[in-house]
Structures are given as structure tokens and as C-alpha cells.
PDB file of all heavy atoms in Angstrom:
ATOM      1  N   LEU V   1       4.396  -5.076   0.000  1.00 97.00           N
ATOM      2  CA  LEU V   1       4.052  -5.745  -1.249  1.00 97.00           C
ATOM      3  C   LEU V   1       3.657  -4.690  -2.271  1.00 97.00           C
ATOM      4  O   LEU V   1       3.120  -3.637  -1.908  1.00 97.00           O
ATOM      5  CB  LEU V   1       2.900  -6.729  -1.021  1.00 97.00           C
ATOM      6  CG  LEU V   1       3.194  -7.828   0.007  1.00 97.00           C
ATOM      7  CD1 LEU V   1       1.925  -8.591   0.355  1.00 97.00           C
ATOM      8  CD2 LEU V   1       4.265  -8.767  -0.501  1.00 97.00           C
ATOM      9  N   PHE V   2       3.900  -4.985  -3.550  1.00 97.00           N
ATOM     10  CA  PHE V   2       3.759  -3.973  -4.595  1.00 97.00           C
ATOM     11  C   PHE V   2       2.934  -4.476  -5.778  1.00 97.00           C
ATOM     12  O   PHE V   2       3.075  -5.621  -6.198  1.00 97.00           O
ATOM     13  CB  PHE V   2       5.149  -3.544  -5.087  1.00 97.00           C
ATOM     14  CG  PHE V   2       6.006  -2.962  -4.008  1.00 97.00           C
ATOM     15  CD1 PHE V   2       6.783  -3.769  -3.197  1.00 97.00           C
ATOM     16  CD2 PHE V   2       6.009  -1.587  -3.782  1.00 97.00           C
ATOM     17  CE1 PHE V   2       7.571  -3.232  -2.184  1.00 97.00           C
ATOM     18  CE2 PHE V   2       6.789  -1.046  -2.770  1.00 97.00           C
ATOM     19  CZ  PHE V   2       7.570  -1.863  -1.975  1.00 97.00           C
ATOM     20  N   ASP V   3       2.107  -3.585  -6.302  1.00 96.00           N
ATOM     21  CA  ASP V   3       1.286  -3.807  -7.487  1.00 96.00           C
ATOM     22  C   ASP V   3       1.510  -2.591  -8.398  1.00 96.00           C
ATOM     23  O   ASP V   3       0.628  -1.750  -8.572  1.00 96.00           O
ATOM     24  CB  ASP V   3      -0.182  -3.937  -7.055  1.00 96.00           C
ATOM     25  CG  ASP V   3      -1.158  -4.113  -8.207  1.00 96.00           C
ATOM     26  OD1 ASP V   3      -0.744  -4.577  -9.287  1.00 96.00           O
ATOM     27  OD2 ASP V   3      -2.346  -3.770  -8.010  1.00 96.00           O
ATOM     28  N   PRO V   4       2.727  -2.452  -8.975  1.00 94.00           N
ATOM     29  CA  PRO V   4       3.096  -1.219  -9.671  1.00 94.00           C
ATOM     30  C   PRO V   4       2.238  -0.873 -10.887  1.00 94.00           C
ATOM     31  O   PRO V   4       2.049   0.296 -11.199  1.00 94.00           O
ATOM     32  CB  PRO V   4       4.552  -1.440 -10.063  1.00 94.00           C
ATOM     33  CG  PRO V   4       4.748  -2.907 -10.035  1.00 94.00           C
ATOM     34  CD  PRO V   4       3.793  -3.445  -9.018  1.00 94.00           C
ATOM     35  N   LYS V   5       1.706  -1.871 -11.566  1.00 93.00           N
ATOM     36  CA  LYS V   5       0.887  -1.599 -12.750  1.00 93.00           C
ATOM     37  C   LYS V   5      -0.612  -1.654 -12.438  1.00 93.00           C
ATOM     38  O   LYS V   5      -1.432  -1.617 -13.340  1.00 93.00           O
ATOM     39  CB  LYS V   5       1.241  -2.579 -13.865  1.00 93.00           C
ATOM     40  CG  LYS V   5       2.664  -2.386 -14.347  1.00 93.00           C
ATOM     41  CD  LYS V   5       2.996  -3.294 -15.482  1.00 93.00           C
ATOM     42  CE  LYS V   5       4.443  -3.051 -15.905  1.00 93.00           C
ATOM     43  NZ  LYS V   5       4.842  -3.937 -16.981  1.00 93.00           N
ATOM     44  N   MET V   6      -0.946  -1.777 -11.172  1.00 94.00           N
ATOM     45  CA  MET V   6      -2.335  -1.823 -10.688  1.00 94.00           C
ATOM     46  C   MET V   6      -3.122  -2.991 -11.264  1.00 94.00           C
ATOM     47  O   MET V   6      -4.359  -2.970 -11.286  1.00 94.00           O
ATOM     48  CB  MET V   6      -3.041  -0.498 -10.952  1.00 94.00           C
ATOM     49  CG  MET V   6      -2.366   0.677 -10.264  1.00 94.00           C
ATOM     50  SD  MET V   6      -3.166   2.268 -10.540  1.00 94.00           S
ATOM     51  CE  MET V   6      -4.671   2.045  -9.636  1.00 94.00           C
ATOM     52  N   ALA V   7      -2.425  -4.051 -11.696  1.00 94.00           N
ATOM     53  CA  ALA V   7      -3.101  -5.210 -12.280  1.00 94.00           C
ATOM     54  C   ALA V   7      -3.962  -5.932 -11.246  1.00 94.00           C
ATOM     55  O   ALA V   7      -5.087  -6.340 -11.545  1.00 94.00           O
ATOM     56  CB  ALA V   7      -2.071  -6.170 -12.880  1.00 94.00           C
ATOM     57  N   VAL V   8      -3.450  -6.073 -10.035  1.00 96.00           N
ATOM     58  CA  VAL V   8      -4.198  -6.761  -8.985  1.00 96.00           C
ATOM     59  C   VAL V   8      -5.414  -5.927  -8.595  1.00 96.00           C
ATOM     60  O   VAL V   8      -6.535  -6.441  -8.504  1.00 96.00           O
ATOM     61  CB  VAL V   8      -3.305  -7.050  -7.756  1.00 96.00           C
ATOM     62  CG1 VAL V   8      -4.092  -7.745  -6.658  1.00 96.00           C
ATOM     63  CG2 VAL V   8      -2.090  -7.886  -8.151  1.00 96.00           C
ATOM     64  N   ALA V   9      -5.199  -4.644  -8.371  1.00 96.00           N
ATOM     65  CA  ALA V   9      -6.301  -3.755  -7.981  1.00 96.00           C
ATOM     66  C   ALA V   9      -7.406  -3.756  -9.031  1.00 96.00           C
ATOM     67  O   ALA V   9      -8.590  -3.871  -8.705  1.00 96.00           O
ATOM     68  CB  ALA V   9      -5.771  -2.344  -7.744  1.00 96.00           C
ATOM     69  N   ARG V  10      -7.035  -3.644 -10.304  1.00 95.00           N
ATOM     70  CA  ARG V  10      -8.033  -3.655 -11.373  1.00 95.00           C
ATOM     71  C   ARG V  10      -8.764  -4.992 -11.422  1.00 95.00           C
ATOM     72  O   ARG V  10      -9.982  -5.040 -11.600  1.00 95.00           O
ATOM     73  CB  ARG V  10      -7.384  -3.378 -12.729  1.00 95.00           C
ATOM     74  CG  ARG V  10      -7.231  -1.919 -13.048  1.00 95.00           C
ATOM     75  CD  ARG V  10      -6.892  -1.683 -14.518  1.00 95.00           C
ATOM     76  NE  ARG V  10      -5.774  -2.474 -15.004  1.00 95.00           N
ATOM     77  CZ  ARG V  10      -4.486  -2.136 -14.881  1.00 95.00           C
ATOM     78  NH1 ARG V  10      -4.164  -1.005 -14.289  1.00 95.00           N
ATOM     79  NH2 ARG V  10      -3.536  -2.895 -15.357  1.00 95.00           N
ATOM     80  N   ASN V  11      -8.030  -6.081 -11.263  1.00 94.00           N
ATOM     81  CA  ASN V  11      -8.614  -7.415 -11.374  1.00 94.00           C
ATOM     82  C   ASN V  11      -9.681  -7.672 -10.317  1.00 94.00           C
ATOM     83  O   ASN V  11     -10.665  -8.347 -10.586  1.00 94.00           O
ATOM     84  CB  ASN V  11      -7.518  -8.477 -11.294  1.00 94.00           C
ATOM     85  CG  ASN V  11      -8.017  -9.834 -11.710  1.00 94.00           C
ATOM     86  OD1 ASN V  11      -8.601  -9.988 -12.776  1.00 94.00           O
ATOM     87  ND2 ASN V  11      -7.802 -10.818 -10.865  1.00 94.00           N
ATOM     88  N   VAL V  12      -9.491  -7.134  -9.123  1.00 95.00           N
ATOM     89  CA  VAL V  12     -10.474  -7.363  -8.054  1.00 95.00           C
ATOM     90  C   VAL V  12     -11.467  -6.206  -7.919  1.00 95.00           C
ATOM     91  O   VAL V  12     -12.299  -6.205  -7.021  1.00 95.00           O
ATOM     92  CB  VAL V  12      -9.795  -7.650  -6.695  1.00 95.00           C
ATOM     93  CG1 VAL V  12      -8.887  -8.860  -6.786  1.00 95.00           C
ATOM     94  CG2 VAL V  12      -9.056  -6.447  -6.167  1.00 95.00           C
ATOM     95  N   GLY V  13     -11.378  -5.222  -8.801  1.00 94.00           N
ATOM     96  CA  GLY V  13     -12.320  -4.107  -8.775  1.00 94.00           C
ATOM     97  C   GLY V  13     -12.064  -3.098  -7.669  1.00 94.00           C
ATOM     98  O   GLY V  13     -12.982  -2.435  -7.214  1.00 94.00           O
ATOM     99  N   ALA V  14     -10.812  -2.975  -7.255  1.00 93.00           N
ATOM    100  CA  ALA V  14     -10.445  -1.964  -6.251  1.00 93.00           C
ATOM    101  C   ALA V  14     -10.133  -0.677  -6.997  1.00 93.00           C
ATOM    102  O   ALA V  14      -8.982  -0.360  -7.264  1.00 93.00           O
ATOM    103  CB  ALA V  14      -9.247  -2.442  -5.438  1.00 93.00           C
ATOM    104  N   LEU V  15     -11.171   0.056  -7.338  1.00 84.00           N
ATOM    105  CA  LEU V  15     -11.017   1.214  -8.209  1.00 84.00           C
ATOM    106  C   LEU V  15     -10.668   2.490  -7.465  1.00 84.00           C
ATOM    107  O   LEU V  15     -10.079   3.393  -8.021  1.00 84.00           O
ATOM    108  CB  LEU V  15     -12.288   1.402  -9.034  1.00 84.00           C
ATOM    109  CG  LEU V  15     -12.690   0.180  -9.856  1.00 84.00           C
ATOM    110  CD1 LEU V  15     -14.013   0.421 -10.563  1.00 84.00           C
ATOM    111  CD2 LEU V  15     -11.604  -0.206 -10.839  1.00 84.00           C
ATOM    112  N   GLY V  16     -11.065   2.602  -6.221  1.00 90.00           N
ATOM    113  CA  GLY V  16     -10.707   3.748  -5.396  1.00 90.00           C
ATOM    114  C   GLY V  16      -9.877   3.247  -4.225  1.00 90.00           C
ATOM    115  O   GLY V  16      -9.853   2.051  -3.961  1.00 90.00           O
ATOM    116  N   LEU V  17      -9.212   4.125  -3.550  1.00 96.00           N
ATOM    117  CA  LEU V  17      -8.376   3.698  -2.428  1.00 96.00           C
ATOM    118  C   LEU V  17      -8.761   4.474  -1.177  1.00 96.00           C
ATOM    119  O   LEU V  17      -9.192   5.613  -1.283  1.00 96.00           O
ATOM    120  CB  LEU V  17      -6.898   3.938  -2.740  1.00 96.00           C
ATOM    121  CG  LEU V  17      -6.307   3.116  -3.871  1.00 96.00           C
ATOM    122  CD1 LEU V  17      -4.848   3.518  -4.085  1.00 96.00           C
ATOM    123  CD2 LEU V  17      -6.403   1.632  -3.614  1.00 96.00           C
ATOM    124  N   PRO V  18      -8.577   3.880  -0.036  1.00 97.00           N
ATOM    125  CA  PRO V  18      -8.208   2.483   0.199  1.00 97.00           C
ATOM    126  C   PRO V  18      -9.402   1.544   0.031  1.00 97.00           C
ATOM    127  O   PRO V  18     -10.547   1.931   0.229  1.00 97.00           O
ATOM    128  CB  PRO V  18      -7.742   2.485   1.650  1.00 97.00           C
ATOM    129  CG  PRO V  18      -8.497   3.600   2.301  1.00 97.00           C
ATOM    130  CD  PRO V  18      -8.694   4.636   1.223  1.00 97.00           C
ATOM    131  N   VAL V  19      -9.098   0.315  -0.334  1.00 97.00           N
ATOM    132  CA  VAL V  19     -10.070  -0.776  -0.405  1.00 97.00           C
ATOM    133  C   VAL V  19      -9.491  -1.930   0.392  1.00 97.00           C
ATOM    134  O   VAL V  19      -8.305  -2.246   0.263  1.00 97.00           O
ATOM    135  CB  VAL V  19     -10.340  -1.213  -1.860  1.00 97.00           C
ATOM    136  CG1 VAL V  19     -11.165  -2.491  -1.901  1.00 97.00           C
ATOM    137  CG2 VAL V  19     -11.037  -0.111  -2.629  1.00 97.00           C
ATOM    138  N   THR V  20     -10.333  -2.539   1.213  1.00 98.00           N
ATOM    139  CA  THR V  20      -9.889  -3.647   2.047  1.00 98.00           C
ATOM    140  C   THR V  20     -10.829  -4.824   1.847  1.00 98.00           C
ATOM    141  O   THR V  20     -12.047  -4.680   1.964  1.00 98.00           O
ATOM    142  CB  THR V  20      -9.871  -3.233   3.535  1.00 98.00           C
ATOM    143  OG1 THR V  20      -9.054  -2.062   3.668  1.00 98.00           O
ATOM    144  CG2 THR V  20      -9.299  -4.335   4.401  1.00 98.00           C
ATOM    145  N   LEU V  21     -10.250  -5.978   1.533  1.00 98.00           N
ATOM    146  CA  LEU V  21     -11.018  -7.202   1.330  1.00 98.00           C
ATOM    147  C   LEU V  21     -10.867  -8.112   2.547  1.00 98.00           C
ATOM    148  O   LEU V  21      -9.763  -8.269   3.071  1.00 98.00           O
ATOM    149  CB  LEU V  21     -10.519  -7.953   0.093  1.00 98.00           C
ATOM    150  CG  LEU V  21     -10.389  -7.166  -1.215  1.00 98.00           C
ATOM    151  CD1 LEU V  21      -9.869  -8.081  -2.315  1.00 98.00           C
ATOM    152  CD2 LEU V  21     -11.702  -6.533  -1.600  1.00 98.00           C
ATOM    153  N   PHE V  22     -11.962  -8.712   2.967  1.00 97.00           N
ATOM    154  CA  PHE V  22     -11.936  -9.768   3.971  1.00 97.00           C
ATOM    155  C   PHE V  22     -11.861 -11.070   3.181  1.00 97.00           C
ATOM    156  O   PHE V  22     -12.784 -11.381   2.424  1.00 97.00           O
ATOM    157  CB  PHE V  22     -13.215  -9.770   4.803  1.00 97.00           C
ATOM    158  CG  PHE V  22     -13.363  -8.630   5.768  1.00 97.00           C
ATOM    159  CD1 PHE V  22     -13.400  -7.305   5.352  1.00 97.00           C
ATOM    160  CD2 PHE V  22     -13.506  -8.894   7.121  1.00 97.00           C
ATOM    161  CE1 PHE V  22     -13.569  -6.261   6.246  1.00 97.00           C
ATOM    162  CE2 PHE V  22     -13.679  -7.865   8.033  1.00 97.00           C
ATOM    163  CZ  PHE V  22     -13.702  -6.545   7.598  1.00 97.00           C
ATOM    164  N   ILE V  23     -10.786 -11.827   3.341  1.00 97.00           N
ATOM    165  CA  ILE V  23     -10.575 -13.049   2.575  1.00 97.00           C
ATOM    166  C   ILE V  23     -10.521 -14.224   3.538  1.00 97.00           C
ATOM    167  O   ILE V  23      -9.749 -14.216   4.511  1.00 97.00           O
ATOM    168  CB  ILE V  23      -9.284 -12.949   1.734  1.00 97.00           C
ATOM    169  CG1 ILE V  23      -9.383 -11.743   0.786  1.00 97.00           C
ATOM    170  CG2 ILE V  23      -9.040 -14.236   0.968  1.00 97.00           C
ATOM    171  CD1 ILE V  23      -8.114 -11.444   0.016  1.00 97.00           C
ATOM    172  N   ASP V  24     -11.332 -15.241   3.260  1.00 96.00           N
ATOM    173  CA  ASP V  24     -11.397 -16.401   4.157  1.00 96.00           C
ATOM    174  C   ASP V  24     -10.213 -17.342   3.923  1.00 96.00           C
ATOM    175  O   ASP V  24      -9.427 -17.151   2.978  1.00 96.00           O
ATOM    176  CB  ASP V  24     -12.751 -17.103   4.048  1.00 96.00           C
ATOM    177  CG  ASP V  24     -12.978 -17.861   2.748  1.00 96.00           C
ATOM    178  OD1 ASP V  24     -12.041 -18.051   1.941  1.00 96.00           O
ATOM    179  OD2 ASP V  24     -14.138 -18.282   2.527  1.00 96.00           O
ATOM    180  N   PRO V  25     -10.045 -18.359   4.768  1.00 96.00           N
ATOM    181  CA  PRO V  25      -8.891 -19.271   4.636  1.00 96.00           C
ATOM    182  C   PRO V  25      -8.835 -20.030   3.308  1.00 96.00           C
ATOM    183  O   PRO V  25      -7.787 -20.537   2.929  1.00 96.00           O
ATOM    184  CB  PRO V  25      -9.056 -20.233   5.816  1.00 96.00           C
ATOM    185  CG  PRO V  25      -9.799 -19.436   6.844  1.00 96.00           C
ATOM    186  CD  PRO V  25     -10.761 -18.601   6.037  1.00 96.00           C
ATOM    187  N   GLN V  26      -9.952 -20.094   2.582  1.00 95.00           N
ATOM    188  CA  GLN V  26      -9.972 -20.750   1.274  1.00 95.00           C
ATOM    189  C   GLN V  26      -9.650 -19.775   0.138  1.00 95.00           C
ATOM    190  O   GLN V  26      -9.693 -20.145  -1.029  1.00 95.00           O
ATOM    191  CB  GLN V  26     -11.339 -21.404   1.019  1.00 95.00           C
ATOM    192  CG  GLN V  26     -11.644 -22.589   1.930  1.00 95.00           C
ATOM    193  CD  GLN V  26     -12.041 -22.157   3.339  1.00 95.00           C
ATOM    194  OE1 GLN V  26     -12.776 -21.192   3.533  1.00 95.00           O
ATOM    195  NE2 GLN V  26     -11.528 -22.861   4.326  1.00 95.00           N
ATOM    196  N   GLY V  27      -9.367 -18.522   0.472  1.00 96.00           N
ATOM    197  CA  GLY V  27      -9.008 -17.536  -0.539  1.00 96.00           C
ATOM    198  C   GLY V  27     -10.192 -16.873  -1.210  1.00 96.00           C
ATOM    199  O   GLY V  27     -10.056 -16.334  -2.310  1.00 96.00           O
ATOM    200  N   ARG V  28     -11.355 -16.853  -0.554  1.00 96.00           N
ATOM    201  CA  ARG V  28     -12.558 -16.243  -1.122  1.00 96.00           C
ATOM    202  C   ARG V  28     -12.867 -14.932  -0.398  1.00 96.00           C
ATOM    203  O   ARG V  28     -12.655 -14.811   0.803  1.00 96.00           O
ATOM    204  CB  ARG V  28     -13.748 -17.187  -0.985  1.00 96.00           C
ATOM    205  CG  ARG V  28     -13.505 -18.542  -1.644  1.00 96.00           C
ATOM    206  CD  ARG V  28     -14.593 -19.516  -1.307  1.00 96.00           C
ATOM    207  NE  ARG V  28     -14.658 -19.707   0.151  1.00 96.00           N
ATOM    208  CZ  ARG V  28     -15.477 -20.551   0.761  1.00 96.00           C
ATOM    209  NH1 ARG V  28     -16.323 -21.275   0.053  1.00 96.00           N
ATOM    210  NH2 ARG V  28     -15.473 -20.670   2.079  1.00 96.00           N
ATOM    211  N   GLU V  29     -13.410 -13.988  -1.140  1.00 97.00           N
ATOM    212  CA  GLU V  29     -13.797 -12.700  -0.553  1.00 97.00           C
ATOM    213  C   GLU V  29     -15.135 -12.846   0.157  1.00 97.00           C
ATOM    214  O   GLU V  29     -16.112 -13.288  -0.432  1.00 97.00           O
ATOM    215  CB  GLU V  29     -13.894 -11.639  -1.654  1.00 97.00           C
ATOM    216  CG  GLU V  29     -14.262 -10.268  -1.146  1.00 97.00           C
ATOM    217  CD  GLU V  29     -14.374  -9.225  -2.243  1.00 97.00           C
ATOM    218  OE1 GLU V  29     -13.645  -9.321  -3.263  1.00 97.00           O
ATOM    219  OE2 GLU V  29     -15.195  -8.316  -2.079  1.00 97.00           O
ATOM    220  N   VAL V  30     -15.171 -12.453   1.438  1.00 95.00           N
ATOM    221  CA  VAL V  30     -16.419 -12.520   2.196  1.00 95.00           C
ATOM    222  C   VAL V  30     -17.003 -11.133   2.467  1.00 95.00           C
ATOM    223  O   VAL V  30     -18.185 -11.015   2.769  1.00 95.00           O
ATOM    224  CB  VAL V  30     -16.260 -13.303   3.518  1.00 95.00           C
ATOM    225  CG1 VAL V  30     -15.880 -14.751   3.236  1.00 95.00           C
ATOM    226  CG2 VAL V  30     -15.249 -12.665   4.430  1.00 95.00           C
ATOM    227  N   ALA V  31     -16.172 -10.104   2.377  1.00 95.00           N
ATOM    228  CA  ALA V  31     -16.644  -8.735   2.594  1.00 95.00           C
ATOM    229  C   ALA V  31     -15.651  -7.771   1.969  1.00 95.00           C
ATOM    230  O   ALA V  31     -14.510  -8.135   1.660  1.00 95.00           O
ATOM    231  CB  ALA V  31     -16.794  -8.447   4.086  1.00 95.00           C
ATOM    232  N   ARG V  32     -16.115  -6.521   1.809  1.00 96.00           N
ATOM    233  CA  ARG V  32     -15.276  -5.481   1.210  1.00 96.00           C
ATOM    234  C   ARG V  32     -15.574  -4.162   1.911  1.00 96.00           C
ATOM    235  O   ARG V  32     -16.729  -3.834   2.164  1.00 96.00           O
ATOM    236  CB  ARG V  32     -15.606  -5.372  -0.274  1.00 96.00           C
ATOM    237  CG  ARG V  32     -14.828  -4.303  -1.018  1.00 96.00           C
ATOM    238  CD  ARG V  32     -15.151  -4.344  -2.497  1.00 96.00           C
ATOM    239  NE  ARG V  32     -14.652  -5.576  -3.080  1.00 96.00           N
ATOM    240  CZ  ARG V  32     -13.901  -5.641  -4.172  1.00 96.00           C
ATOM    241  NH1 ARG V  32     -13.594  -4.539  -4.811  1.00 96.00           N
ATOM    242  NH2 ARG V  32     -13.485  -6.792  -4.630  1.00 96.00           N
ATOM    243  N   ALA V  33     -14.512  -3.429   2.192  1.00 95.00           N
ATOM    244  CA  ALA V  33     -14.644  -2.112   2.819  1.00 95.00           C
ATOM    245  C   ALA V  33     -13.961  -1.083   1.932  1.00 95.00           C
ATOM    246  O   ALA V  33     -12.838  -1.297   1.485  1.00 95.00           O
ATOM    247  CB  ALA V  33     -14.001  -2.122   4.200  1.00 95.00           C
ATOM    248  N   THR V  34     -14.647   0.014   1.671  1.00 94.00           N
ATOM    249  CA  THR V  34     -14.077   1.099   0.885  1.00 94.00           C
ATOM    250  C   THR V  34     -13.937   2.316   1.784  1.00 94.00           C
ATOM    251  O   THR V  34     -14.854   2.660   2.524  1.00 94.00           O
ATOM    252  CB  THR V  34     -14.982   1.425  -0.314  1.00 94.00           C
ATOM    253  OG1 THR V  34     -15.157   0.232  -1.094  1.00 94.00           O
ATOM    254  CG2 THR V  34     -14.369   2.496  -1.187  1.00 94.00           C
ATOM    255  N   GLY V  35     -12.785   2.935   1.723  1.00 94.00           N
ATOM    256  CA  GLY V  35     -12.513   4.089   2.571  1.00 94.00           C
ATOM    257  C   GLY V  35     -11.691   3.684   3.781  1.00 94.00           C
ATOM    258  O   GLY V  35     -11.447   2.512   4.025  1.00 94.00           O
ATOM    259  N   ASP V  36     -11.261   4.685   4.521  1.00 94.00           N
ATOM    260  CA  ASP V  36     -10.411   4.402   5.677  1.00 94.00           C
ATOM    261  C   ASP V  36     -11.263   4.107   6.905  1.00 94.00           C
ATOM    262  O   ASP V  36     -12.401   4.562   7.018  1.00 94.00           O
ATOM    263  CB  ASP V  36      -9.446   5.563   5.948  1.00 94.00           C
ATOM    264  CG  ASP V  36     -10.161   6.861   6.277  1.00 94.00           C
ATOM    265  OD1 ASP V  36     -11.083   7.234   5.538  1.00 94.00           O
ATOM    266  OD2 ASP V  36      -9.795   7.498   7.276  1.00 94.00           O
ATOM    267  N   PHE V  37     -10.691   3.302   7.790  1.00 94.00           N
ATOM    268  CA  PHE V  37     -11.340   2.884   9.019  1.00 94.00           C
ATOM    269  C   PHE V  37     -10.330   2.944  10.158  1.00 94.00           C
ATOM    270  O   PHE V  37      -9.125   2.866   9.929  1.00 94.00           O
ATOM    271  CB  PHE V  37     -11.849   1.432   8.915  1.00 94.00           C
ATOM    272  CG  PHE V  37     -13.012   1.259   7.989  1.00 94.00           C
ATOM    273  CD1 PHE V  37     -12.821   1.087   6.628  1.00 94.00           C
ATOM    274  CD2 PHE V  37     -14.309   1.262   8.473  1.00 94.00           C
ATOM    275  CE1 PHE V  37     -13.893   0.926   5.766  1.00 94.00           C
ATOM    276  CE2 PHE V  37     -15.393   1.095   7.613  1.00 94.00           C
ATOM    277  CZ  PHE V  37     -15.183   0.930   6.263  1.00 94.00           C
ATOM    278  N   GLU V  38     -10.829   3.007  11.360  1.00 94.00           N
ATOM    279  CA  GLU V  38      -9.991   2.837  12.552  1.00 94.00           C
ATOM    280  C   GLU V  38      -9.955   1.341  12.834  1.00 94.00           C
ATOM    281  O   GLU V  38     -10.683   0.829  13.679  1.00 94.00           O
ATOM    282  CB  GLU V  38     -10.566   3.629  13.737  1.00 94.00           C
ATOM    283  CG  GLU V  38     -10.437   5.117  13.584  1.00 94.00           C
ATOM    284  CD  GLU V  38      -8.992   5.597  13.532  1.00 94.00           C
ATOM    285  OE1 GLU V  38      -8.130   5.024  14.222  1.00 94.00           O
ATOM    286  OE2 GLU V  38      -8.720   6.551  12.783  1.00 94.00           O
ATOM    287  N   TRP V  39      -9.108   0.633  12.100  1.00 95.00           N
ATOM    288  CA  TRP V  39      -9.095  -0.825  12.140  1.00 95.00           C
ATOM    289  C   TRP V  39      -8.724  -1.395  13.501  1.00 95.00           C
ATOM    290  O   TRP V  39      -9.046  -2.545  13.793  1.00 95.00           O
ATOM    291  CB  TRP V  39      -8.153  -1.369  11.065  1.00 95.00           C
ATOM    292  CG  TRP V  39      -8.690  -1.206   9.689  1.00 95.00           C
ATOM    293  CD1 TRP V  39      -8.240  -0.353   8.726  1.00 95.00           C
ATOM    294  CD2 TRP V  39      -9.797  -1.898   9.110  1.00 95.00           C
ATOM    295  NE1 TRP V  39      -8.989  -0.478   7.585  1.00 95.00           N
ATOM    296  CE2 TRP V  39      -9.960  -1.426   7.793  1.00 95.00           C
ATOM    297  CE3 TRP V  39     -10.678  -2.884   9.572  1.00 95.00           C
ATOM    298  CZ2 TRP V  39     -10.946  -1.903   6.940  1.00 95.00           C
ATOM    299  CZ3 TRP V  39     -11.662  -3.353   8.724  1.00 95.00           C
ATOM    300  CH2 TRP V  39     -11.791  -2.860   7.426  1.00 95.00           C
ATOM    301  N   ASP V  40      -8.071  -0.627  14.336  1.00 95.00           N
ATOM    302  CA  ASP V  40      -7.687  -1.150  15.654  1.00 95.00           C
ATOM    303  C   ASP V  40      -8.636  -0.710  16.765  1.00 95.00           C
ATOM    304  O   ASP V  40      -8.387  -0.955  17.935  1.00 95.00           O
ATOM    305  CB  ASP V  40      -6.255  -0.754  15.997  1.00 95.00           C
ATOM    306  CG  ASP V  40      -6.057   0.746  16.082  1.00 95.00           C
ATOM    307  OD1 ASP V  40      -6.844   1.503  15.473  1.00 95.00           O
ATOM    308  OD2 ASP V  40      -5.113   1.174  16.765  1.00 95.00           O
ATOM    309  N   SER V  41      -9.750  -0.087  16.406  1.00 93.00           N
ATOM    310  CA  SER V  41     -10.728   0.325  17.420  1.00 93.00           C
ATOM    311  C   SER V  41     -11.302  -0.919  18.101  1.00 93.00           C
ATOM    312  O   SER V  41     -11.270  -2.022  17.533  1.00 93.00           O
ATOM    313  CB  SER V  41     -11.862   1.131  16.771  1.00 93.00           C
ATOM    314  OG  SER V  41     -12.669   0.272  15.979  1.00 93.00           O
TER     315      SER V  41
END
């Protein structure tokens, strides 16, 4: 998926990369992680 003009990133305040949002089934943000993680640990 692509956000070439960074409109999505700017809109949600993802100013640095990587940024990862935890989004619930209703489409709401429940948590945010900035920086890289070992997501499969």
C-alpha cells in the first residue's frame, strides 16, 4: 500500500518512521509504537 504524498502519515501524526498503530475492529487507535520492534518475538 502506498501513501506517496505522506497525506495519511501527516494526518495521523506519524512524523518519524517507523510508526505502528494498534487499531481496534471499530477503526479506533488504541496504542502507538514509534521505532522498530521485533514484532514476531
Side-chain angles (χ1 to χ4, degrees):
L1 301 170
F2 300 87
D3 178 24
K5 295 183 180 178
M6 300 180 69
V8 179
R10 275 193 309 275
N11 193 52
V12 302
L15 304 176
L17 294 178
V19 170
T20 305
L21 309 179
F22 288 61
I23 301 173
D24 71 10
Q26 292 76 41
R28 303 171 300 183
E29 181 181 328
V30 297
R32 179 176 293 231
T34 303
D36 62 311
F37 290 85
E38 290 297 324
W39 288 109
D40 62 336
S41 71

